[in-house]
Amino acid sequence: MSAIATAAALSLPISFCRSNKFNNKRGVRGSFRVFAIIGEEGGLVEKRNPWTTLFEVEDPRSKVPQYKGKFLDVNQALEVARYDIQYCDWKARQDVLTIMLLHEKVVEVLNPLAREFKSIGTLKKELADLQEELAQAHNQVHMSEAKISTALDKLAYMETLVNDKILQGRNTIESDSLSSTPSTSSESPHTVKTRQRRRSLNVSGPVQPYNARLKNFWYPVAFSADLKNDTMVPIDCFEKPWVLFRGKDGKPGCVQNTCAHRACPLDLGSINEGRIQCPYHGWEYSTDGKCEKMPSTKLLNVKIKALPCFEQDGMIWIWPGNDPPTTLANLPSLLPPSGFQIHAEIVMELPVEHGLLLDNLLDLAHAPFTHTSTFAKGWSVPSLVKFLTPASGLQGSWDPYPIDMEFRPPCMVLSTIGISKPGKLEGQSTRECSTHLHQLHVCLPSSRQKTRLLYRMSLDFAPILKHVPFMQHLWRHFAEQVLNEDLRLVLGQQERMNNGENVWNWPVSYDKLGVRYRLWRDSIERGSN
């Protein structure tokens, strides 16, 4: 639409012409009269619609009688008043008609502009989307460059390892050829195969009773939130039953879950004034194991075994070993890092040996093959998975996954995962990610084929999820889904291990953290540093 046409279209269709004839009438100053609407080409546009019949009223001014210079009687005055009322009605109709015609014209003028404005807004949105895609493409290019650089470094490192291996093999062959005799020069294939496996771990079954040295640690066994003043928490630890409860002072205690009288399970009873009461004959024990009440009989000096117990970081800890417990000052915190909030605390009893479960938790290379229905759905399989760690450490980071992981003796696994949205990974390290998931897994050895798992999940984003009703049940459902994907495999391992198979035959590079856990455990059981 041209500027002239726009100006013409926006001009008001009102005539301010005075009627000379009507100006002579008493009490009438002037009038408005609608005559036409100016079109885009300058012509007159006749506006007709069903409502115009309401406005086809004759102008009453031509019928007003002439009483100029005359004295009006009552009838004449009433007639003049009647004509004035007719005029007011006619004038109101004309004003409404003018407003309606103006409204239609404004709609006609503004609609093309509105469509044009919408089109511009759409173009701006599309441009913003294109700019975002371009920025993502730039990031992908930078990430690809970084990955190429890392791959080249890996190739150089692997080339060095291969050269060293070849050199080592040549030296071994030369040494064997120099020291060989006719009786040893012809080794059987079985002997050669055994020599090749000299670096493997021997983790075969059936599982032996736990070494006493493995018990000389502080073990977290329950969450503080699960131990109320009037509740008990039964646990199994190293094949012995125990029960947790709070004493009169509110501090936790751990005693054997067996009454000294008739060996009844104490957790079937109740809490009475900070003492656990046996349901059989009502004997009551304090947190130090002393029997303080014996109904229906004389009080005897009876005491059941109690373990050292304390509360820290929202967890209940016990010392199941026979050696004196170490000081609590050296005990590291299990709370999530600063900026994280705890969203879920879950306890599960699993039918697997705790060492096999720890092996699974310390291994991330299995994720794109095992967890294809949960958190690793859609993950690509990298050409090389490495665990980057100091020469003798029990912590490090996964490459190429943005995950930091640590094994903390005696049975804890801590991990921090960098995420962008649920089920997705971004960046090559946790520092490059904007949001994170922190996990704590505690694998308490209940028995040789049973583990008590404590799982704590924390986030550094979405704090509102803590206030969503039933969210704890949803987190438990997700955790069970992930765990079930692992259990079907670990249970198969356990069955074969109990039949004598070695579950650590051929350790490879991404098994580094799991191997170090097994070496640590072996050193503890042998009594070495």
Side-chain angles (χ1 to χ4, degrees):
M1 182 185 295
S2 65
I4 298 176
T6 303
L10 290 174
S11 60
L12 294 176
I14 301 175
S15 173
F16 292 93
C17 302
R18 289 183 180 272
S19 172
N20 293 332
K21 181 178 180 181
F22 190 72
N23 284 342
N24 297 328
K25 303 300 178 288
R26 182 181 304 172
V28 180
R29 298 282 184 179
S31 67
F32 296 100
R33 188 167 45 168
V34 179
F35 61 93
I37 301 297
I38 301 177
E40 294 184 358
E41 304 298 331
L44 298 180
V45 179
E46 184 70 20
K47 284 292 179 182
R48 304 289 294 180
N49 58 57
W51 293 95
T52 55
T53 55
L54 298 176
F55 308 103
E56 293 177 352
V57 180
E58 184 181 357
D59 188 348
R61 290 176 294 184
S62 61
K63 299 179 180 181
V64 177
Q66 301 295 325
Y67 295 110
K68 185 176 181 180
K70 295 182 180 180
F71 182 79
L72 301 179
D73 57 19
V74 175
N75 293 331
Q76 292 173 337
L78 290 175
E79 186 178 6
V80 171
R82 182 171 61 83
Y83 280 110
D84 286 341
I85 293 172
Q86 292 179 357
Y87 168 74
C88 290
D89 176 71
W90 172 83
K91 180 64 169 60
R93 292 171 186 263
Q94 299 306 311
D95 289 343
V96 172
L97 178 61
T98 302
I99 293 172
M100 291 181 61
L101 296 177
L102 280 172
H103 170 73
E104 293 180 3
K105 191 60 184 177
V106 169
V107 170
E108 289 180 1
V109 172
L110 291 182
N111 270 349
L113 294 178
R115 287 194 297 271
E116 184 177 355
F117 177 80
K118 182 178 179 181
S119 176
I120 293 173
T122 303
L123 289 175
K124 287 182 177 179
K125 184 178 181 303
E126 293 176 354
L127 180 60
D129 293 341
L130 290 174
Q131 289 175 341
E132 183 178 356
E133 292 178 3
L134 181 61
Q136 292 178 355
H138 281 300
N139 292 335
Q140 291 293 336
V141 169
H142 294 318
M143 291 177 63
S144 299
E145 291 175 350
K147 289 181 178 179
I148 291 173
S149 177
T150 304
L152 292 176
D153 294 339
K154 291 177 181 177
L155 287 175
Y157 174 73
M158 293 174 65
E159 184 178 4
T160 303
L161 292 178
V162 170
N163 291 335
D164 292 342
K165 192 70 174 179
I166 292 175
L167 182 61
Q168 181 182 1
R170 289 176 179 176
N171 293 337
T172 302
I173 293 174
E174 292 174 1
S175 175
D176 290 343
S177 62
L178 291 175
S179 60
S180 62
T181 62
S183 60
T184 59
S185 58
S186 57
E187 294 181 340
S188 65
H190 177 73
T191 306
V192 176
K193 187 175 182 181
T194 303
R195 177 181 295 176
Q196 290 175 346
R197 290 190 181 184
R198 65 186 179 275
R199 296 179 60 86
S200 67
L201 297 171
N202 184 13
V203 183
S204 57
V207 181
Q208 300 300 315
Y210 287 109
N211 191 289
R213 296 187 183 94
L214 198 61
K215 303 177 183 179
N216 291 321
F217 289 91
W218 284 108
Y219 283 86
V221 294
F223 291 112
S224 298
D226 295 334
L227 189 63
K228 311 296 183 183
N229 289 330
D230 57 347
T231 60
M232 296 168 286
V233 177
I235 62 169
D236 290 332
C237 184
F238 291 106
E239 300 186 294
K240 290 186 177 181
W242 306 92
V243 61
L244 305 171
F245 66 101
R246 294 188 183 274
K248 294 180 180 180
D249 55 0
K251 294 182 179 179
C254 179
V255 300
Q256 70 180 43
N257 194 9
T258 305
C259 181
H261 181 210
R262 303 281 290 276
C264 179
L266 293 176
D267 69 290
L268 300 179
S270 59
I271 301 298
N272 182 27
E273 298 180 352
R275 297 185 299 268
I276 187 168
Q277 185 183 70
C278 177
Y280 207 170
H281 296 92
W283 290 23
E284 297 183 6
Y285 302 88
S286 58
T287 54
D288 61 357
K290 184 178 180 181
C291 184
E292 296 184 347
K293 193 173 181 180
M294 294 181 182
S296 307
T297 187
K298 182 181 177 180
L299 182 63
L300 303 176
N301 185 17
V302 176
K303 189 174 183 179
I304 59 177
K305 186 173 182 179
L307 297 179
C309 181
F310 78 102
E311 188 171 12
Q312 178 177 296
D313 299 337
M315 307 187 83
I316 310 298
W317 301 65
I318 64 171
W319 180 277
N322 294 322
D323 292 351
T326 59
T327 59
L328 302 179
N330 298 328
L331 197 65
S333 173
L334 294 183
L335 289 176
S338 176
F340 284 79
Q341 289 189 16
I342 298 173
H343 283 252
E345 291 182 337
I346 301 170
V347 181
M348 299 182 188
E349 301 290 343
L350 306 177
V352 295
E353 194 266 338
H354 92 288
L356 288 177
L357 186 60
L358 282 170
D359 290 340
N360 176 268
L361 294 173
L362 295 172
D363 169 29
L364 195 63
H366 75 279
F369 302 97
T370 304
H371 300 290
T372 54
S373 298
T374 53
F375 70 91
K377 184 177 182 179
W379 282 18
S380 58
V381 179
S383 58
L384 183 65
V385 176
K386 294 172 62 179
F387 186 75
L388 308 177
T389 181
S392 59
L394 294 173
Q395 72 284 331
S397 60
W398 288 92
D399 179 14
Y401 304 121
I403 299 177
D404 298 335
M405 186 172 287
E406 174 187 359
F407 168 70
R408 186 170 296 175
C411 62
M412 286 85 80
V413 177
L414 295 91
S415 58
T416 301
I417 305 172
I419 57 177
S420 56
K421 59 182 66 174
K424 301 294 182 182
L425 295 176
E426 65 175 6
Q428 290 185 304
S429 70
T430 55
R431 295 185 299 274
E432 297 177 10
C433 302
S434 57
T435 54
H436 303 83
L437 165 70
H438 182 78
Q439 297 183 111
L440 166 67
H441 292 84
V442 179
C443 301
L444 179 68
S446 298
S447 67
R448 280 177 279 182
Q449 295 189 18
K450 184 179 177 183
T451 300
R452 178 179 174 86
L453 175 65
L454 307 183
Y455 174 70
R456 174 185 281 169
M457 189 270 290
S458 308
L459 302 174
D460 64 354
F461 64 98
I464 194 173
L465 292 179
K466 288 176 62 71
H467 308 290
V468 176
F470 307 109
M471 199 65 195
Q472 184 82 3
H473 300 285
L474 188 60
W475 290 130
R476 184 179 184 90
H477 172 71
F478 290 153
E480 288 177 347
Q481 275 191 315
V482 175
L483 200 58
N484 285 335
E485 290 178 324
D486 286 318
L487 279 181
R488 65 188 185 93
L489 307 178
V490 179
L491 286 173
Q493 282 183 294
Q494 180 170 268
E495 180 184 358
R496 282 150 182 79
M497 184 181 70
N498 289 335
N499 292 330
E501 292 288 340
N502 184 9
V503 297
W504 276 99
N505 277 307
W506 292 99
V508 293
S509 60
Y510 54 67
D511 293 324
K512 184 182 298 182
L513 190 55
V515 169
R516 290 186 179 181
Y517 154 66
R518 286 293 179 175
L519 294 176
W520 168 86
R521 180 170 168 177
D522 184 62
S523 67
I524 293 297
E525 292 177 345
R526 287 187 287 104
S528 60
N529 265 337

